[in-house]
Amino acid sequence: MIERILITGGAGFIGSRLAARLLAEGHEVRVLDSLSEQVHGARPGRASLPAPVELIQGNVLSWTALQAALRGTTVVVHLAADTGTGQSMYEIDRYVQTNAGGTGRLLDVLANTRHTVRRIVVASSRAVYGEGAYRTADGRIVHPGPRAEADLVRGDFDIHISGEDVLLPVPTTESAPPRPSSVYGITKHVQEALVTTAAPAIGIEAVALRYQNVYGPGQSLTNPYTGILSIFSGILRHGAEVNVFEDGRESRDFVFVDDVVEATRLAALHPAARGVYNVGSGTSTTVVEVVEALAAAFDVEARMRISGTYRAGDIRHSIADSGRIHRALGWMPTTTFAAGVRLFAEWVRDQPADPDGYERSLVEMSARGLFK
């Protein structure tokens, strides 16, 4: 069946590739995007979007823009959001307004006007878990809260629970309790809770995708508040030294953008898609390993300084258990981190970079006591 699909935030990294994929399958695609300068640069346009896509430049907080974008739509993929753990800790109102408020406004329009929408897919984040799942020495699974400031100050970056020995990070399932450690994580949890609660109440199917660390060709190289691969690539290409936070052993689950696009396509179109799904590779990669992999892909020296500095809101480890989406929709990641980094580096070579933007973002955080 041909669907008429609205992608909010659809001119961005994931949305533009999703739009191309859906068009290739014969679906009609409309995009609503504010074309934020932080994400798209000083002269944003529709260069990333295929010509048949209808682009509406507007904000998800605008009732008028949402009404126009929703006209005739059967499926909504709600990607529009401000992203960046660190920035969310001091631009609190902006993140709450855009992420939680924008989602609320979208649902309010749907609840109070005639529409044709049958399903909403909302982009959530692994940030809703905070630290996620760990195994104790005797095999129990626990879900720790945020790390203690006193431990971070003295350079102890590991996870501790009173009365427990060393904790081992393990893949986190969707049943883990939400324990976000940043304003960004809180807003993503609110987004998915709004959609999964309000949409079914008004007869719309709801799906929430908890993306892990998405990377690949097309990601923003101008936004210094998100995406360590884009940040580090700019620094390494200019022969500078990467400031590695903490002890460099913190790890993330990196999932390639084309795998994320496929998961999102299935969430939008598969008849069985319902509820909350993790979307990740199931493999953890340390920050030091990221620097080394990027340097090898660019054929440059892996210059790094493990500084012991840290940011408020950051978590120590993350690994996703994506078994639920595999069982329900048949999705599995197909691109390894090693292969994905090579593809990313090939694309980056032809792109301009601003290595100073990252340093400016750290100055902003430091001035507010959020980077130490």
Side-chain angles (χ1 to χ4, degrees):
M1 185 175 74
I2 301 302
E3 302 283 3
R4 294 182 296 279
I5 301 171
L6 167 65
I7 309 175
T8 70
F13 173 37
I14 298 170
S16 58
R17 295 175 83 90
L18 175 63
R21 177 69 186 275
L22 293 169
L23 280 173
E25 293 183 347
H27 301 289
E28 298 175 19
V29 180
R30 179 183 295 147
V31 161
L32 173 65
D33 201 296
S34 66
L35 300 181
S36 158
E37 181 176 338
Q38 179 171 307
V39 176
H40 297 277
R43 302 179 68 180
R46 58 167 299 142
S48 62
L49 290 171
V53 172
E54 178 188 353
L55 172 63
I56 298 175
Q57 184 172 355
N59 195 293
V60 286
L61 290 168
S62 166
W63 182 287
T64 303
L66 284 168
Q67 274 193 307
L70 287 166
R71 192 171 297 117
T73 296
T74 56
V75 176
V76 176
V77 178
H78 184 39
L79 303 180
D82 284 322
T83 60
T85 297
Q87 189 182 44
S88 78
M89 300 299 283
Y90 61 91
E91 293 205 20
I92 298 169
D93 184 60
R94 172 185 153 196
Y95 273 72
V96 172
Q97 289 295 325
T98 301
N99 298 0
T103 303
R105 183 61 53 85
L106 169 64
L107 292 164
D108 201 53
V109 172
L110 289 169
N112 291 286
T113 62
R114 293 174 63 88
H115 65 82
T116 52
V117 175
R118 65 173 185 83
R119 178 177 294 181
I120 300 177
V121 179
V122 61
S124 184
S125 167
R126 66 90 34 226
V128 304
Y129 296 122
E131 285 295 343
Y134 286 76
R135 179 178 290 115
T136 65
D138 61 0
R140 289 173 292 114
I141 300 299
V142 294
H143 302 93
R147 293 175 289 178
E149 177 75 8
D151 290 338
L152 299 175
V153 167
R154 65 170 179 266
D156 181 356
F157 302 111
D158 287 325
I159 302 297
H160 302 287
I161 296 179
S162 179
E164 301 289 351
D165 290 326
V166 175
L167 299 174
L168 177 70
V170 295
T172 301
T173 67
E174 294 87 351
S175 63
R179 304 195 70 172
S181 61
S182 67
V183 172
Y184 172 69
I186 292 168
T187 65
K188 299 309 285 185
H189 184 225
V190 171
Q191 280 189 281
E192 69 170 57
L194 284 168
V195 169
T196 56
T197 300
I202 56 176
I204 300 174
E205 299 165 357
V207 185
L209 299 178
R210 290 175 176 169
Y211 296 150
Q212 305 299 301
N213 287 63
V214 187
Y215 74 100
Q219 72 184 92
S220 175
L221 300 179
T222 62
N223 186 353
Y225 302 98
T226 182
I228 66 169
L229 271 84
S230 60
I231 292 165
F232 289 173
S233 66
I235 296 170
L236 289 168
R237 289 168 64 203
H238 282 75
E241 184 179 68
V242 176
N243 175 9
V244 174
F245 298 167
E246 302 187 12
D247 58 6
R249 294 198 295 270
E250 61 273 29
S251 65
R252 299 291 184 268
D253 183 331
F254 293 97
V255 57
F256 192 66
V257 62
D258 289 345
D259 288 327
V260 171
V261 165
E262 174 60 11
T264 309
R265 187 192 72 83
L266 288 168
L269 302 175
H270 197 293
R274 299 287 191 286
V276 179
Y277 301 104
N278 285 334
V279 179
S281 69
T283 302
S284 65
T285 304
T286 69
V287 174
V288 166
E289 290 170 337
V290 169
V291 176
E292 292 172 341
L294 280 170
F298 290 123
D299 194 23
V300 299
E301 180 185 356
R303 297 183 59 203
M304 70 182 95
R305 176 173 58 90
I306 298 175
S307 63
T309 53
Y310 60 91
R311 297 187 310 178
D314 276 353
I315 54 98
R316 181 62 169 168
H317 299 294
S318 70
I319 319 170
D321 181 333
S322 298
R324 183 171 188 267
I325 192 171
H326 172 62
R327 292 187 295 272
L329 309 184
W331 179 85
M332 288 185 67
T334 60
T335 306
T336 66
F337 183 69
V341 165
R342 289 193 297 271
L343 292 169
F344 172 71
E346 288 173 8
W347 171 76
V348 167
R349 289 180 193 277
D350 297 325
Q351 309 300 317
D354 177 17
D356 296 328
Y358 181 49
E359 293 303 321
R360 289 194 297 270
S361 73
L362 297 183
V363 169
E364 290 181 10
M365 293 195 68
S366 181
R368 295 165 173 83
L370 299 169
F371 175 65
K372 303 174 183 180

